[in-house]
Amino acid sequence: MASLEYAERHPRLTDAVIVLALLGAAVIGANLIGPGESRPQDIWVAEVVTGIACLALFKARERPRGTVVVATVCAVVTGSLGFILSPLLLAPLMVALYWLAATTDSRTTWWYGGVATVLTVGTAVGVDFDEMVALRAIGPALWLLLPLAMGSRIRLRHAWLDAVQARAEHAERTREEEARLRVTQERMRIARDLHDVVAHHMAVANAQAGTAAHLLESDPALTKKILTDLKATTSSVMLELRDTVGVLRQTGSDAETLEPAPGLAQLPDLLKVCGSAGLAVSLEIEGEPRELPPGIDLTAYRIIQEALTNATKYSASATAALRLRYGGTRLTITVTNDRRSNEQPRRGSTGYGIIGMRERANAVGGDLRVSDSGAAGFEVVTALPLPPHTPAPQAAL
């Protein structure tokens, strides 16, 4: 393993060692003779030609096709001079075919490799068809097909490893994008909670302070009561802010136990706070109330809270109507102001209150509609999905 890593880090040095080894093998191969055969003349010619094929291997990585062509021509010339095309003389062509198969596509590999094999085997067979013709043909063919197969295997393995790495990188990018998306969604949720808490309580506190200032001289007793309610309102907002921000500080099992998220069970307290701010809210419930899933319960409470906050801030009258209708699969919430002042937010406004209500409704699969027609006043209608209602079994008498 260490030698492979060293060879990959120093490819030129590795190629030089291979070329020197092949030059030595060429010298030995040029001096081989078969049984009963005479030694060919001009051995130096075979050594020079094979040396050229070895030197061409320095370009095998960058130009595998040209290297195969040069090595094939050298092998054909050597065979034509009468030398035995043993693996020692075919070694440069074998290395060239390996790099061709490892660095090019299958079509190019088998096209160049097939032509090189046919020419080399044809040179080895010659024109004498004696009892040794099969041996002269099979030997060179097998030696040349071996590097083609090995190079193709290496190429396919590298392609598989590249595909695995690409999939891993894609999965990592997907996980990072999903994590960023979750962080963004969590930030939006916390921003909505903070807006709901601060906007509602500050609007109520502002109305209470204004009422107390107005009644300070005429009705001191009522003023004292309103100021007491104002203290309770500001304490409530501080507690809710502490709980909301505390979620950001949670660290596993060391996190503090926070109060349950608000829901429609706290609706009477919400209406009482609105009343202390001078907004009388009439409540009408249609259908059979039932326990809601936590997400739907919180969403319904927050939407009602924001809608009543808008009524407290903008309504010219001191009344609002809240209607809850429990259907088979939907909970419909309607908040209506009898009248609205010129400061009432218009439909399509970019105010964060309406945007937050709509996002909350959409997040749980519901929808929200805002109407600000002059005839009907300002109305917020929300439809939230409900699970199928299963009546409780009656006890046997």
Side-chain angles (χ1 to χ4, degrees):
M1 183 63 67
S3 60
L4 291 177
E5 294 178 356
Y6 182 86
E8 292 178 355
R9 290 197 303 267
H10 304 85
R12 292 303 177 187
L13 180 59
T14 303
D15 291 344
V17 173
I18 293 176
V19 168
L20 289 176
L22 293 180
L23 285 174
V27 173
I28 298 175
N31 287 276
L32 290 178
I33 58 175
E37 296 182 358
S38 59
R39 185 185 303 274
Q41 300 297 323
D42 300 328
I43 296 179
W44 65 272
V45 176
E47 294 175 350
V48 169
V49 172
T50 307
I52 293 174
C54 293
L55 294 176
L57 295 178
F58 281 112
K59 293 293 184 180
R61 300 174 187 267
E62 296 83 6
R63 300 179 179 274
R65 298 176 183 83
T67 304
V68 168
V69 172
V70 173
T72 301
V73 172
C74 292
V76 170
V77 171
T78 304
S80 300
L81 294 176
F83 292 91
I84 300 176
L85 293 180
S86 65
L88 295 176
L89 290 180
L90 291 178
L93 179 56
M94 293 169 62
V95 175
L97 290 176
Y98 170 83
W99 283 115
L100 176 73
T103 57
T104 61
D105 57 275
S106 298
R107 182 176 180 181
T108 301
T109 295
W110 294 107
W111 172 255
Y112 278 81
V115 172
T117 301
V118 170
L119 292 177
T120 304
V121 171
T123 302
V125 172
V127 295
D128 297 330
F129 294 95
D130 52 16
E131 65 278 2
M132 300 295 293
V133 64
L135 181 62
R136 293 199 303 271
I138 294 176
L142 292 178
W143 284 113
L144 296 181
L145 290 176
L146 178 62
L148 289 174
M150 293 179 61
S152 298
R153 181 178 180 275
I154 293 297
R155 174 174 51 80
L156 294 176
R157 177 173 176 79
H158 286 169
W160 178 77
L161 291 176
D162 291 342
V164 171
Q165 183 177 1
R167 287 196 297 269
E169 292 175 354
H170 176 72
E172 185 66 23
R173 288 194 301 269
T174 303
R175 283 194 295 268
E176 293 176 356
E177 293 173 357
E178 183 179 356
R180 286 194 295 268
L181 178 60
R182 289 180 178 178
V183 169
T184 301
Q185 292 175 342
E186 185 65 12
R187 287 176 177 174
M188 291 297 296
R189 184 190 67 80
I190 294 173
R192 286 195 299 265
D193 286 344
L194 288 174
H195 174 272
D196 292 342
V197 170
V198 174
H200 169 71
H201 288 290
M202 289 300 98
V204 172
N206 180 70
Q208 289 171 333
T211 304
H214 180 70
L215 299 176
L216 180 60
E217 296 181 358
S218 61
D219 196 342
L222 182 57
T223 301
K224 182 178 180 180
K225 180 181 181 303
I226 294 176
L227 291 177
T228 302
D229 293 340
L230 176 59
K231 180 181 178 181
T233 300
T234 55
S235 299
S236 178
V237 69
M238 287 189 294
L239 290 175
E240 289 203 38
L241 281 174
R242 183 203 65 182
D243 291 347
T244 303
V245 177
V247 174
L248 301 176
R249 298 178 178 175
Q250 283 185 332
T251 54
S253 59
D254 296 333
E256 295 182 0
T257 302
L258 304 178
E259 294 183 0
L264 294 184
Q266 286 76 36
L267 191 56
D269 296 334
L270 177 62
L271 300 183
K272 181 180 179 181
V273 172
C274 292
S276 68
L279 180 68
V281 183
S282 62
L283 175 61
E284 180 183 354
I285 300 178
E286 300 178 6
E288 180 184 354
R290 59 182 184 267
E291 185 177 355
L292 304 178
I296 302 296
D297 199 19
L298 174 62
T299 299
Y301 178 85
R302 290 303 190 192
I303 290 177
I304 294 173
Q305 183 184 52
E306 179 61 29
L308 293 179
T309 299
N310 288 338
T312 302
K313 291 191 293 184
Y314 300 114
S315 179
S317 67
T319 60
L322 170 61
R323 183 169 67 253
L324 304 178
R325 184 167 64 86
Y326 291 86
T329 59
R330 310 284 280 184
L331 168 63
T332 304
I333 303 171
T334 305
V335 180
T336 307
N337 303 343
D338 293 338
R339 291 173 54 195
R340 60 182 176 82
S341 68
N342 292 332
E343 294 180 352
Q344 183 72 35
R346 300 284 180 177
R347 179 174 52 191
S349 169
T350 57
Y352 292 111
I354 295 177
I355 294 175
M357 288 190 293
R358 183 170 286 111
E359 287 180 347
R360 284 188 179 277
N362 294 338
V364 296
D367 57 78
L368 182 138
R369 176 176 54 84
V370 176
S371 173
D372 59 356
S373 62
F378 191 81
E379 184 179 64
V380 176
V381 181
T382 307
L384 303 178
L386 292 179
H389 179 48
T390 303
Q394 297 182 353
L397 296 178

